[in-house]
């Protein structure tokens, strides 16, 4: 064992290859996005980057701003919001600073970058907890408000979200989950030549787990930032690959929409966090229900009321110069104006999620549509190349002519099966985003393409379901497993289920369809979405517990575990309802718990994928179970063909009834002496008599057998050896032996007619040809 561990030292030089990827991270806080929280009049900002480093207690800034309004005396209010709390909230009268040099505010264009150490007398390090530098996806922002002293009019309001550099969204996680999906795809392709293997079905289960995780962030809920970032790791499974607004695909979609009646906003180059509704994370700013718009009553308004009143009233105090400046800045895409009346605010659900990966809300369906087209094109090319290879091999190959001919016959069914698998895989993102596209009413061409794609995917799935159910209803469900063409082409719907539970896929497909309806058409009501989806998931779990449709106990356990995971996570999402007004910190904790539960499910699917690939064959033989051991559910999950001895026992049915061989259905001989005289003895000749196979006396329970122990053991050992060499010919010979029947008085322990012959079960003898 120690020698194996010592060999790991040879891998140490490989770690140096990744040294360039490892960097030390200092404890810091910096601005991740900057927006105007009211139309600017006095202060215009083009760039605002500020960072605080805890090691040396210094601040680095890179600011480009300008004061454009003359004769304005203002007070500055600084507000820090951390998870809905306000640890910092103070107001400074700029006229009292620097002997009144900032009163009135000078018209000045400031552009500069520098690092300034903070004096220890401020005690900044003691006011910032250490966890603020470690928790991922920090929910905090700073707000600067400039208010005119004489009139109380809000002249400028700027908000900057803060980050510490840690996030639950990691590119490495995206690549890892993608690599796992690729591994499952290769395993599915390798084992898909046999319709009833598990590996192709586990590919759908894995991708559906990814897609379900991403779809949980599409509801109208106030998710914590850490959970929303976690779900973006699985956005690629929905066909929403991360993109920049200047990518060719997104630019083409924008042009197409604008040319066909689309007027919705395109994706911005800045972070989507800047455009999030201020009531949601990471802002957690609940506007005061009572605010006053009069400038004379301004002093009695709190900070939150100030922010709310600025959204409603400050539009009346915008000068011509500031309007032109704002338009110029907005075209450059540096700092945007976000208020409660703005049209660019991202609401909860699909808008925030898709913009978080760099895709505009109106472009979400078209992005998935193009991804599905790419998959269809790849599938068509692969099938065409495979058919050409088979055609060329059958023409020039001589030795494998029979094998190639068989494959050419099975190839269309193989292609249809994979087409059905692809339709099942893309069913979740297509239904959700097609329905959501119908609610946008943006581009008529996008709506037309969504209808075409919906009919194509759903139509092929319905065609397969109807064909399978029609055959099962017209004949028997077992007929589905006896027709090779049907099993090879439509097997992805029922091949892993028991014949009497062939319909088990239909409830899952119906559940996906119903959840898509609620996600898309109830996008403005989170309560309806959560309750409906929770009910659907509970029904799916109940169907699995009641039907137990799979052919192995292990498959039932895995499906039930995944269903319990979905029910549990959906139930925990009730805490994200806006109407509950749950604090930011509890929501963060719940989001982390849900992320951990989903991560465990992904790890379980990773192990299951390895088992389906036959990884257990690498286990040394001495650690494997013996040939007589009972197969476990884990063994039944192997990616090999379904073996009857490894699956759950079935009750006799008319379809599975095996006729008993007439040679077996014979009475045992009453005396072994007849067999010994006419045939080579099956027992020992050393003993004069034996009780093996003989008629027992009436009082058998109190009498002892007569032969000696030596002859009995000898005869039993030879009998055992003869049983192992049992053949039909011996059975025929022994069945012809006749002996007089002896009557036995009725016994109170016997309820049937007295007879010394019994019917052997089919398990007592090897099968006959």
């Amino acid at each position: 064992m120690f020698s194996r561990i010592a060999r790991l030292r040879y891998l140490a030089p490989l770690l140096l290859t990744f040294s360039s990827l490892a960097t030390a991270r200092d404890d810091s806080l910096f601005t991740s996005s900057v927006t105007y929280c009211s139309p600017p009049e006095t202060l215009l900002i083009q760039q605002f980057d500020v960072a605080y480093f805890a090691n040396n207690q210094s601040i680095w800034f890179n600011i480009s701003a300008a004061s454009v309004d003359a004769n304005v005396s203002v007070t500055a209010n600084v507000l820090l919001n951390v998870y809905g709390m306000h640890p910092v909230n103070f107001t400074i009268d700029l006229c009292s600073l620097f002997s009144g040099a900032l009163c009135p505010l000078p018209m000045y264009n400031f552009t500069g970058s520098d690092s300034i150490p903070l004096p220890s007398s401020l005690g900044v390090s003691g006011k910032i907890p250490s966890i603020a530098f470690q928790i991922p996806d920090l929910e905090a922002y700073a707000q600067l408000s400039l208010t005119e002293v004489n009139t109380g009019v809000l002249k400028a309001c700027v908000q900057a979200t803060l980050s510490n550099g840690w996030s639950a969204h990691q590119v490495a996680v995206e690549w890892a989950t993608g690599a796992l999906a690729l591994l499952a795809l290769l395993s599915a392709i390798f084992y898909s030549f046999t319709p009833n293997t598990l590996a192709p079905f586990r590919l759908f289960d894995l991708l559906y787990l990814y897609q379900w995780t991403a779809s949980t962030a599409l509801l109208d809920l106030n998710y914590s930032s850490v959970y929303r970032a976690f779900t973006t790791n699985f956005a690629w499974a929905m066909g929403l690959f991360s993109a920049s607004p200047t990518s060719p695909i997104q630019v083409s979609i924008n042009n197409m929409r604008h040319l066909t009646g689309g007027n919705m906003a395109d994706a911005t180059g800045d972070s989507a966090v800047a455009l999030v509704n201020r009531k949601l994370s990471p802002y957690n700013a609940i506007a005061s229900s009572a605010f006053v718009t009069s400038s004379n009553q301004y002093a009695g308004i709190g900070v939150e009321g100030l922010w709310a009143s600025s959204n409603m009233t400050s539009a009346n105090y915008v000068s011509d110069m500031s309007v032109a400046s704002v338009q110029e800045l907005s075209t450059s895409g540096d700092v945007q104006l976000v208020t409660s009346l703005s049209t660019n605010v991202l609401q909860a659900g699909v808008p925030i999620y898709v913009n978080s990966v760099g895709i505009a809300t109106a472009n979400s369906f078209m992005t998935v549509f193009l991804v599905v087209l790419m998959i269809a094109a790849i599938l068509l090319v692969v099938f065409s190349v495979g058919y050409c290879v088979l055609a060329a091999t059958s023409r020039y190959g001589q030795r494998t002519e029979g094998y190639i001919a068989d494959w050419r016959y099975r190839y269309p069914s193989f292609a249809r099966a994979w087409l059905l698998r692809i339709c099942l895989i893309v069913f979740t993102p297509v239904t959700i985003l097609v329905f959501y596209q119908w609610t946008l009413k943006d581009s008529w061409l996008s709506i037309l393409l969504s209808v075409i794609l919906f009919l194509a995917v759903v139509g092929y799935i319905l065609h397969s379901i109807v064909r399978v159910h029609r055959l099962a209803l017209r004949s028997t469900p077992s007929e589905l497993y006896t027709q090779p063409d049907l099993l090879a082409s439509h097997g992805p719907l029922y091949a892993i289920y028991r014949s009497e539970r062939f319909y088990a896929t239909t409830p899952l497909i119906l559940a996906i369809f119903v959840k898509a309806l609620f996600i898309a058409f109830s996008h403005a009501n989170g309560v309806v979405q959560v309750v409906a989806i929770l009910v659907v998931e509970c029904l799916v779990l109940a169907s699995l517990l009641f039907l137990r449709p799979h052919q192995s106990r292990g498959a039932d356990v895995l499906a039930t575990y995944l269903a319990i995971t979905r029910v549990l996570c959906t139930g925990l999402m009730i805490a994200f309802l806006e109407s509950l007004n749950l604090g930011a910190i509890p929501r963060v904790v719940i989001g982390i718990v849900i992320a951990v539960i989903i991560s465990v499910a992904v790890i379980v699917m990773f192990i299951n994928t390895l088992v389906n690939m036959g990884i257990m064959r690498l286990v040394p033989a001495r650690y494997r179970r013996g040939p007589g051991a009972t197969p476990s559910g884990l063994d039944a999950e192997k990616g090999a063909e379904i073996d009857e001895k490894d699956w759950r026992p079935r009750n006799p049915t008319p379809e599975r009834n095996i006729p008993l061989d007439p040679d077996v259905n014979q009475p045992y001989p009453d005396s072994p002496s007849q067999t010994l005289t006419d045939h080579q003895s099956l027992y020992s000749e050393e003993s004069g008599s034996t009780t093996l196979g003989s008629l027992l006396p009436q009082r058998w329970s109190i009498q002892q057998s007569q032969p000696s122990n030596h002859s009995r053991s000898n005869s039993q050992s030879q009998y055992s050896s003869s049983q192992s060499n049992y053949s039909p010919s011996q059975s025929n010979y022994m069945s012809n032996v006749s002996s007089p029947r002896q009557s036995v008085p009725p016994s109170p322990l016997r309820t049937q007619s007295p007879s010394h012959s019994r019917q052997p079960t089919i398990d007592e003898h090897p099968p006959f040809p």
Side-chain angles (χ1 to χ4, degrees):
M1 179 181 68
F2 293 100
S3 61
R4 296 180 179 178
I5 297 176
R7 293 174 184 173
L8 297 177
R9 67 181 185 272
Y10 298 109
L11 300 178
L14 296 179
L15 299 178
L16 298 178
T17 59
F18 301 97
S19 60
S20 60
L21 301 179
T23 57
R25 182 186 295 273
D26 295 332
D27 292 341
S28 62
L29 295 175
F30 55 88
T31 57
S32 56
S33 66
V34 179
T35 55
Y36 293 112
C37 47
S38 69
E41 292 189 45
T42 303
L43 184 65
L44 300 180
I45 298 176
Q46 188 171 5
Q47 187 172 2
F48 189 84
D49 298 330
V50 179
Y52 168 76
F53 297 93
N55 291 340
N56 54 7
Q57 298 187 24
S58 62
I59 289 181
W60 174 87
F61 64 89
N62 184 10
I63 299 176
S64 178
S67 175
V68 296
D69 201 356
N71 299 324
V72 175
S73 299
V74 296
T75 60
N77 176 266
V78 178
L79 170 69
L80 179 62
N81 184 309
V82 180
Y83 293 105
M85 300 178 293
H86 303 148
V88 177
N89 185 6
F90 60 89
T91 302
I92 302 176
D93 187 2
L94 297 184
C95 295
S96 62
L97 298 178
F98 306 108
S99 302
L102 299 178
C103 188
L105 195 67
M107 298 182 62
Y108 184 76
N109 188 2
F110 175 82
T111 301
S113 176
D114 198 357
S115 179
I116 302 175
L118 297 178
S120 58
S121 59
L122 295 178
V124 177
S125 60
K127 297 179 180 179
I128 301 178
S130 58
I131 194 175
F133 301 100
Q134 305 297 332
I135 187 170
D137 299 288
L138 181 66
E139 298 186 8
Y141 74 92
Q143 177 176 296
L144 173 64
S145 303
L146 299 181
T147 306
E148 189 173 4
V149 175
N150 297 328
T151 62
V153 175
L154 186 66
K155 291 296 185 178
C157 181
V158 179
Q159 289 179 341
T161 55
L162 303 179
S163 176
N164 54 19
W166 297 101
S167 176
H169 172 74
Q170 296 292 329
V171 178
V173 176
E174 292 181 338
W175 281 99
T177 53
L180 177 57
L182 180 60
L183 188 66
L185 175 62
L186 296 178
S187 175
I189 294 175
F190 180 78
Y191 287 108
S192 62
F193 300 106
T194 303
N196 53 3
T197 52
L198 288 169
F201 296 91
R202 294 298 171 254
L203 172 65
F204 170 76
D205 292 337
L206 178 64
L207 291 179
Y208 178 61
L209 176 62
Y210 291 170
Q211 294 168 351
W212 169 81
T213 302
S215 66
T216 57
L218 303 181
L219 308 182
D220 184 27
L221 302 176
N222 187 11
Y223 300 98
S224 58
S225 297
V226 63
Y227 181 72
R228 187 187 299 123
F230 170 78
T231 57
T232 55
N233 293 320
F234 305 91
W236 64 267
M238 295 283 289
L240 301 172
F241 293 89
S242 299
S244 64
T246 58
S247 64
I249 293 180
Q250 297 302 318
V251 171
S252 300
I253 296 176
N254 292 336
N255 295 334
M256 181 275 296
R257 288 194 302 104
H258 296 320
L259 292 175
T260 55
N263 53 9
M264 295 187 65
D266 301 334
T268 62
D270 298 333
S271 173
V273 177
L275 303 178
V276 171
N277 188 332
R278 295 315 193 244
K279 295 181 181 180
L280 308 176
S281 293
Y283 294 94
N284 303 305
I286 303 176
S288 175
S289 58
F291 57 88
V292 183
T293 58
S294 175
S295 60
N296 296 330
Q297 300 175 350
Y298 171 76
I301 302 177
V303 176
E304 297 298 335
L306 169 64
W307 177 78
S309 62
S310 65
N311 297 335
M312 301 294 294
T313 63
S314 58
N316 299 326
Y317 301 96
V318 180
S319 62
D320 297 336
M321 179 179 179
S322 61
V323 168
S325 302
V326 169
Q327 292 177 352
E328 180 180 358
L329 291 176
S330 61
T331 57
S332 63
D334 293 332
V335 179
Q336 296 200 27
L337 173 63
V338 180
T339 67
S340 60
L341 301 179
S342 301
T343 58
N344 59 348
V345 175
L346 299 178
Q347 302 298 336
V350 176
I352 293 180
Y353 188 81
V354 298
N355 280 270
S356 298
V357 294
I359 300 174
T361 304
N363 292 8
S364 56
F365 162 73
M366 287 303 304
T367 303
V368 174
F369 176 78
L370 294 179
V371 171
V372 173
L373 284 186
M374 295 176 190
I375 295 175
I378 294 174
L379 200 65
L380 180 62
V381 171
V382 171
F383 286 160
S384 301
V385 172
Y387 183 81
C388 293
V389 170
L390 287 176
T393 307
S394 62
R395 181 174 181 179
Y396 299 104
Q398 299 296 334
R399 298 181 180 179
T400 59
E401 182 177 355
Y403 177 78
I404 297 301
D406 179 66
W407 253 108
R408 290 190 63 181
Y409 174 77
R410 296 166 51 190
Y411 192 75
S413 299
F414 175 80
R416 288 195 296 268
W418 270 104
L419 180 59
L420 179 58
R421 291 189 183 98
I422 296 300
C423 290
L424 291 174
I425 290 174
V426 303
F427 182 68
T428 298
V430 166
T431 51
I432 292 177
L433 294 179
V434 162
F435 293 155
Y436 190 80
Q437 181 66 35
W438 296 350
T439 64
L440 297 179
K441 301 177 182 180
D442 181 56
S443 168
W444 64 264
L445 183 57
S446 298
I447 297 176
L448 176 62
L449 294 177
S450 65
V451 173
I452 295 174
L453 181 62
F454 177 79
L455 293 178
V457 174
V458 178
Y460 190 78
I461 295 177
L462 285 179
H463 165 73
S464 301
I465 293 177
V466 169
R467 183 173 178 182
V468 169
H469 284 67
R470 182 175 58 184
L471 178 61
L473 294 177
R474 287 183 176 180
S475 56
T476 57
S478 61
E479 191 71 18
L480 300 173
Y481 299 84
T482 59
Q483 295 189 9
D485 292 341
L486 184 69
L487 183 62
S489 58
H490 302 287
L493 290 176
Y494 65 90
I496 61 171
Y497 302 121
R498 291 181 288 164
S499 58
E500 60 271 20
R501 300 288 188 263
F502 70 94
Y503 53 83
T505 304
T506 305
L508 179 60
I509 295 176
L510 183 61
I512 296 174
F513 184 82
V514 173
K515 288 190 295 184
L517 289 175
F518 282 100
I519 291 175
F521 295 107
S522 298
H523 60 86
N525 194 330
V527 177
V528 174
Q529 289 178 324
V530 172
V531 172
I533 293 177
L534 182 59
V535 171
V536 171
E537 296 292 358
C538 290
L539 291 177
V540 173
L541 176 60
S543 67
L544 290 174
L545 294 175
F546 177 75
L547 298 176
R548 290 182 294 175
H550 296 85
Q551 297 181 2
S552 70
R553 185 173 291 104
D556 280 336
V557 170
L558 179 63
T560 304
Y561 164 72
L562 294 177
I564 292 175
T565 299
R566 294 194 294 268
V567 171
L568 182 60
C569 294
T570 305
L572 290 175
M573 288 179 190
I574 296 177
F576 295 148
L577 290 173
E578 293 186 48
S579 58
L580 296 181
N581 270 338
L582 191 64
I585 294 179
R587 287 189 290 105
V588 170
V589 174
I590 293 175
I592 293 177
V593 170
I594 299 176
V596 170
I597 295 175
I598 296 175
S599 301
V600 172
V602 173
I603 295 175
V604 170
M605 291 304 300
F606 170 70
I607 298 174
N608 185 267
T609 301
L610 295 181
V611 173
N612 291 332
M613 294 182 64
I615 195 67
M616 299 303 295
R617 299 173 185 174
L618 302 179
V619 178
R622 61 179 179 273
Y623 296 112
R624 299 178 186 176
R625 61 178 176 87
T630 303
S632 62
L634 182 63
D635 297 329
E637 284 291 309
K638 291 182 179 179
E641 295 185 6
I642 298 176
D643 193 358
E644 192 67 26
K645 66 183 180 63
D646 286 339
W647 300 86
R648 71 170 71 194
R650 302 180 182 179
N651 295 328
T653 60
E655 294 81 8
R656 296 180 53 81
N657 186 26
I658 302 176
L660 190 64
D661 193 282
D663 294 334
V664 178
N665 190 14
Q666 297 294 335
Y668 284 97
D670 294 333
S671 175
S673 59
Q674 300 176 5
T675 306
L676 291 172
T677 57
D678 298 336
H679 185 66
Q680 183 178 0
S681 176
L682 298 176
Y683 308 98
S684 173
E685 296 178 357
E686 297 179 1
S687 61
S689 63
T690 180
T691 60
L692 188 59
S694 302
L695 178 66
L696 296 177
Q698 177 181 359
R699 301 296 183 182
W700 61 271
S701 60
I702 60 176
Q703 294 184 5
Q704 298 180 355
S705 56
Q706 300 299 328
S708 61
N709 295 334
H710 174 73
S711 62
R712 178 182 301 177
S713 60
N714 192 10
S715 63
Q716 287 180 354
S717 62
Q718 294 192 16
Y719 178 75
S720 301
S721 62
S722 64
Q723 283 293 89
S724 62
N725 297 326
Y726 189 87
S727 64
S729 61
Q730 293 175 346
S731 174
N732 294 335
Y733 184 85
M734 296 179 66
S735 64
N736 295 329
V737 178
S738 61
S739 61
R741 295 292 181 90
Q742 301 182 15
S743 61
V744 178
S747 171
L749 300 177
R750 300 176 60 89
T751 57
Q752 299 178 356
S753 60
S755 177
H756 303 294
S757 63
R758 68 181 179 88
Q759 299 289 338
T761 62
I762 196 171
D763 295 333
E764 292 183 344
H765 298 292
F768 291 92

